[in-house]
Amino acid sequence: MRLTFELPPGVSLNSLGFDIGLGDFVRIKPYVEEHRKLVENPDGGRAYSPVLSPELDGQCGFIIKPYGPGGVSSLLQNIPIGSEVLITGNVEHVFWKERARGYFANTRNMAFGSQASYSVALIAYGMIAYGIGITEVAPVALSELKDPRVKQVRILWATKTWSDVDWVWADSDEHRDLVHHFFRQQQQGAYGARLQLTHILSQEDRSGCMRGRVSANVLRQVFLDDNVPREDLRFLAVGSTAMLDFTYETLLGLGLDTSKSNGSWSGGNLLYGKLAENVSLSVRHPSPLLEMLRKTNAAPNQKRQCKRRMVTAKEASNKKRHRKRRVVTAKEGSNKKRHLQDVASFEQPG
């Protein structure tokens, strides 16, 4: 299910501080009382990964897997177009006392300015309570592949059947989200040997896919080989809390540096560290994806700043003689005044 939400004019996820190349998500909650009654935990809401470019003005979009009644995804599937919902206006960076868990912003666990090389290991669980895991993994992979220090990105995508997978290639030219864009480039071989994609299906045998569930043996087979030193590996798993706990505990048992504290996982072998609670989000280094988008947006402005040719004294004199100023009549001046418009300012709710 693809959903697009309208944001106020001039507002983008980037302007609100979101960086989906760092795995940032938004939390969606029901707004009107009629919708709140349809959700079991209306105040908690549900976290979803944006899939449209964070630079896009006035809108944001998601790909969501609907589940049974009582959840936010079911509500979003059934409410009419034009309905209003609450969407967080900033990256979550707080300790929730009610859940006894910290929701702190991600920061890349790599030495900035260093020429050291890394290999990124991404594990996406397909059928999960937090939506389709690949919707977060694909933009992150797209981002990491833009960093020349990243030698390779390996993705293990765990689903029940192939039908949970093939939608990423279906009509990919028609969709402008980053998930379809990433898999369109993957299908075209744009990343070459730098990208390795492995599927594991739990309920179907299929040629070219692993069969079963994620286990220590599967993780060892897909990610741990002699070609990559373990200290250069950076892991990210996307799924339910139980799935993340299982994955990182298994990696710990395989000798990798992972640990859990205050409900959050950390360690030298994880792709992300967590920003300290008392540290401002403004100190975060942007992801490679966001850096690329900023450079792309800056390029047209640089082109407009054209170099001016040196004008000789003779040419300048000729220009002065031929320069004429048209006189604006009183009527024209009055018309111009009537066409001036004030720009309404947008005040974000607190």
Side-chain angles (χ1 to χ4, degrees):
M1 176 173 67
R2 284 183 289 272
L3 297 174
T4 301
F5 292 90
E6 181 182 23
L7 298 175
V11 175
S12 67
L13 289 182
N14 181 45
S15 71
L16 295 174
F18 290 91
D19 186 344
I20 62 177
L22 292 178
D24 288 346
F25 60 84
V26 304
R27 191 171 295 277
I28 299 179
K29 304 178 183 180
Y31 176 54
V32 299
E33 188 60 31
E34 177 186 357
H35 295 162
R36 288 176 57 86
K37 294 177 181 178
L38 301 175
V39 177
E40 294 176 357
N41 181 21
D43 294 324
R46 184 64 75 186
Y48 295 103
S49 301
V51 296
L52 297 181
S53 172
E55 297 282 288
L56 198 59
D57 217 33
Q59 59 181 289
C60 61
F62 308 88
I63 299 175
I64 295 173
K65 175 71 177 180
Y67 293 93
V72 175
S73 62
S74 176
L75 173 70
L76 295 175
Q77 184 183 29
N78 292 298
I79 58 177
I81 294 175
S83 300
E84 295 182 320
V85 296
L86 292 174
I87 297 181
T88 47
N90 57 274
V91 179
E92 286 191 355
H93 188 57
V94 67
F95 184 84
W96 260 13
K97 294 181 179 179
E98 295 82 1
R99 297 188 178 185
R101 180 182 176 187
Y103 289 83
F104 302 121
N106 293 330
T107 180
R108 285 179 89 209
N109 192 18
M110 296 182 183
F112 287 92
S114 168
Q115 297 302 312
S117 60
Y118 303 90
S119 289
V120 176
L122 305 175
I123 306 163
Y125 293 96
M127 307 297 291
I128 58 175
Y130 279 76
I132 307 172
I134 203 67
T135 59
E136 178 179 338
V137 164
V140 169
L142 183 67
S143 179
E144 293 300 317
L145 286 163
K146 295 185 181 303
D147 186 342
R149 297 178 302 166
V150 175
K151 293 193 299 184
Q152 189 179 53
V153 172
R154 299 185 184 186
I155 300 176
L156 174 62
W157 190 2
T159 56
K160 291 182 178 179
T161 65
W162 188 252
S163 63
D164 299 321
V165 169
D166 61 0
W167 60 270
V168 297
W169 295 287
D171 302 323
S172 61
D173 292 335
E174 298 179 8
H175 305 300
R176 55 178 177 164
D177 61 83
L178 296 178
V179 178
H180 284 88
H181 171 73
F182 171 73
F183 280 99
R184 182 165 59 248
Q185 290 195 320
Q186 176 265 334
Q187 193 174 45
Q188 295 169 352
Y191 305 109
R194 292 186 69 212
L195 175 62
Q196 178 181 306
L197 175 61
T198 302
H199 296 277
I200 182 168
L201 310 177
S202 62
Q203 297 182 6
E204 180 182 343
D205 288 311
R206 184 180 177 87
S207 176
C209 301
M210 302 179 74
R211 173 65 191 271
R213 300 182 182 277
V214 176
S215 65
N217 287 334
V218 169
L219 294 176
R220 186 184 296 109
Q221 180 179 344
V222 175
F223 299 115
L224 304 180
D225 56 42
D226 297 334
N227 296 326
V228 182
R230 294 197 175 192
E231 61 269 21
D232 295 341
L233 279 169
R234 297 293 184 269
F235 281 84
L236 171 67
V238 178
S240 65
T241 301
M243 291 172 178
L244 302 191
D245 288 344
F246 165 77
T247 303
Y248 294 141
E249 286 172 1
T250 304
L251 292 174
L252 177 63
L254 292 172
L256 294 162
D257 180 12
T258 65
S259 61
K260 189 177 184 180
S261 176
N262 293 326
S264 297
W265 284 91
S266 61
N269 281 124
L270 297 191
L271 177 60
Y272 297 136
K274 292 296 182 181
L275 206 62
E277 185 175 6
N278 59 347
V279 176
S280 170
L281 289 169
S282 62
V283 307
R284 286 200 305 175
H285 289 274
S287 68
L289 174 64
L290 188 55
E291 284 186 326
M292 181 274 295
L293 290 172
R294 287 175 176 174
K295 290 178 181 178
T296 301
N297 291 337
N301 294 329
Q302 293 175 351
K303 288 182 179 180
R304 284 195 291 268
Q305 297 175 357
C306 300
K307 293 182 180 180
R308 299 184 62 183
R309 186 173 62 86
M310 293 293 293
V311 179
T312 66
K314 183 177 181 180
E315 287 176 322
S317 176
N318 291 335
K319 283 187 176 182
K320 285 182 180 179
R321 287 197 297 270
H322 290 87
R323 187 179 296 151
K324 297 180 180 179
R325 295 185 62 186
R326 189 173 66 85
V327 178
V328 178
T329 65
K331 182 178 180 181
E332 288 176 319
S334 177
N335 289 339
K336 286 187 177 182
K337 288 182 180 179
R338 286 199 299 268
H339 284 83
L340 291 177
Q341 296 180 351
D342 294 327
V343 178
S345 62
F346 168 71
E347 182 177 349
Q348 296 188 25

